[in-house]
Amino acid sequence: MEALQRLDDYSKFLWLELIGFDNQQEDMGVGEYIDNLGFVPDGISIFMWGSDFVHLHEGLAVDATFPADIGAYLASSYSDKKYTGPPWTKYQLKAVIDGLHSYGVSVLFSIFPNSLGNRFHHEWISDHPEVAITAVAEWQRGHPIINPLRRFGDGSYYEDFFVRKVAEVVADYGFDGYHMVDGYNHGWLQLCHGDYSDDMIGQFIENGDVGLPDGVLAPCGRDPDKVTARATWIWQNRRREWIAFHADRWERFFRKVVTAMHAAGKQVACNTCWTRAPMEAMYRYGIDYKRIAATGIDRFIVETCSAGGEMLNSVCRARYSVPFFHVIMATALLTRAYAPDAKILFNNCTQDITEGWSILRHA
């Protein structure tokens, strides 16, 4: 009976780009997609990529065409089978959601916090640079990436604005919830590299007395030398406190998202911190899986990516003392042990056309 119960609890939840559908078909390709699957999933998360899908949302009173980088990962319009047509419109996305609902599929959405330097549209971050990550290394200073924990120039928190906009998007499109992934379920950079902005240092102090010297407290702006010196001192002298501070902040961010979604009767899915086990997620990113699970998220998706990890064994041996596949398998076990009450799903990756890999073809 216990084994049967475990089978009943098994959930098929898929994460895919909008290019998995086809806006040249009357039903937006929903029927064809379900037929090709050969089963009806419990849930689907549509990866809209651009965070401006949320930032620039203004309701559905009128239809509008999305910029090429909203609804397509890095503005890529190709699936593995065909070109999926011109950029999507708001109403076409709504039709995809309605079509999936007709099959009994719950539909969530996900986004990344990256930008593309206004290449396809005037990006929201261009008008709000104060919430972009202040990174240490030069190679990390490309197009702005949002740090969800930052504050606006007026002192208000980006997270409060963001949660309101997510609630609007979910309500207007009829999504069943929000899926927190890369950059919104943990920082884009590991803690030794960022974010060492004046704002995050201010929040660090407000979170508790950490005894920072005047040199570290002095405003740095985005001066790379000053930011690097500040980062070096904190990582060498206040590392434990810096990690604990981020664990507090990320828990607060998650709790706001979960509270808003549950108040509206919606779901929250959350990926783990890339492929990191609990200890590594805490140490490198300040993410405490136990505390995150305790906020009430509905699906905790562990990025095991086992097939991909096994395929990359030879590549990753230089980074790990054991094959990467075994590291990932340990991640699955350790995450379950550390957060025993979480409803855990495992991200068994298959392919990513934009990133250029396919488990079935490459293996």
Side-chain angles (χ1 to χ4, degrees):
M1 182 61 71
E2 182 180 358
L4 290 176
Q5 182 62 44
R6 288 177 180 174
L7 287 174
D8 289 340
D9 287 343
Y10 182 74
S11 178
K12 295 180 286 294
F13 181 80
L14 307 180
W15 185 21
L16 72 152
E17 298 174 51
L18 195 53
I19 58 174
F21 305 101
D22 186 351
N23 62 3
Q24 302 301 290
Q25 298 186 35
E26 184 175 354
D27 71 343
M28 302 296 123
V30 171
E32 181 182 33
Y33 178 75
I34 296 295
D35 288 343
N36 287 337
L37 281 181
F39 63 90
V40 177
D42 303 288
I44 281 179
S45 171
I46 300 177
F47 181 40
M48 297 300 294
W49 192 76
S51 56
D52 279 357
F53 174 63
V54 170
H55 297 146
L56 303 181
H57 178 69
E58 295 181 345
L60 295 182
V62 296
D63 196 10
T65 301
F66 290 125
D69 53 330
I70 294 181
Y73 190 0
L74 293 176
S76 173
S77 299
Y78 288 83
S79 72
D80 60 337
K81 297 181 178 65
K82 58 186 175 183
Y83 174 63
T84 61
W88 288 70
T89 71
K90 291 181 175 182
Y91 287 2
Q92 288 172 345
L93 172 60
K94 183 68 167 64
V96 169
I97 298 167
D98 292 343
L100 290 170
H101 281 163
S102 71
Y103 285 89
V105 180
S106 64
V107 188
L108 287 71
F109 78 91
S110 53
I111 54 174
F112 280 1
N114 309 68
S115 62
L116 292 175
N118 297 315
R119 182 179 176 186
F120 297 97
H121 73 282
H122 182 76
E123 296 169 339
W124 178 91
I125 190 64
S126 298
D127 299 323
H128 303 278
E130 69 271 29
V131 300
I133 295 171
T134 300
V136 173
E138 184 176 356
W139 63 267
Q140 296 160 341
R141 302 185 208 118
H143 297 314
I145 300 174
I146 292 168
N147 176 355
L149 308 183
R150 290 285 289 271
R151 292 181 287 200
F152 291 112
D154 64 2
S156 61
Y157 286 89
Y158 167 84
E159 63 202 49
D160 294 328
F161 159 78
F162 179 74
V163 169
R164 288 196 302 270
K165 295 299 292 185
V166 166
E168 291 176 12
V169 169
V170 168
D172 290 345
Y173 280 101
F175 283 111
D176 297 288
Y178 169 50
H179 179 196
M180 304 173 73
V181 301
D182 309 30
Y184 281 105
N185 63 323
H186 58 78
W188 196 262
L189 303 180
Q190 54 187 331
L191 299 184
C192 58
H193 292 152
D195 179 343
Y196 289 94
S197 61
D198 295 338
D199 174 34
M200 292 307 293
I201 296 304
Q203 293 189 43
F204 187 28
I205 297 169
E206 292 167 11
N207 198 61
D209 183 8
V210 290
L212 301 181
D214 292 342
V216 174
L217 293 172
C220 293
R222 292 188 183 272
D223 183 292
D225 294 333
K226 293 180 179 179
V227 171
T228 299
R230 170 189 279 169
T232 300
W233 191 94
I234 289 177
W235 196 244
Q236 290 180 352
N237 298 279
R238 297 291 184 272
R239 186 179 308 185
R240 182 186 295 271
E241 293 84 354
W242 186 242
I243 292 170
F245 157 64
H246 280 84
D248 289 344
R249 283 296 285 113
W250 279 107
E251 180 185 8
R252 190 173 100 184
F253 177 69
F254 271 87
R255 199 168 294 281
K256 288 182 178 181
V257 172
V258 170
T259 298
M261 289 295 96
H262 285 183
K266 304 296 184 178
Q267 309 168 25
V268 179
C270 165
N271 285 16
T272 54
C273 185
W274 283 317
T275 56
R276 311 304 171 189
M279 177 61 188
E280 191 176 359
M282 173 69 87
Y283 185 85
R284 294 178 64 183
Y285 294 91
I287 295 294
D288 187 328
Y289 291 161
K290 187 186 294 289
R291 291 169 65 176
I292 297 304
T295 64
I297 55 176
D298 302 284
R299 289 185 174 97
F300 201 58
I301 302 170
V302 179
E303 290 206 4
T304 48
C305 304
S306 303
E310 185 172 24
M311 187 172 68
L312 293 172
N313 258 345
S314 60
V315 178
C316 296
R317 283 182 188 274
R319 299 182 184 178
Y320 295 89
S321 59
V322 295
F324 190 46
F325 176 71
H326 296 146
V327 173
I328 289 177
M329 293 306 293
T331 294
L333 296 171
L334 291 169
T335 301
R336 166 53 74 201
Y338 187 61
D341 297 325
K343 180 176 182 179
I344 290 180
L345 282 73
F346 295 101
N347 180 1
N348 299 303
C349 61
T350 52
Q351 67 177 6
D352 190 312
I353 298 304
T354 304
E355 293 182 6
W357 55 267
S358 170
I359 296 303
L360 296 179
R361 291 183 179 183
H362 293 178

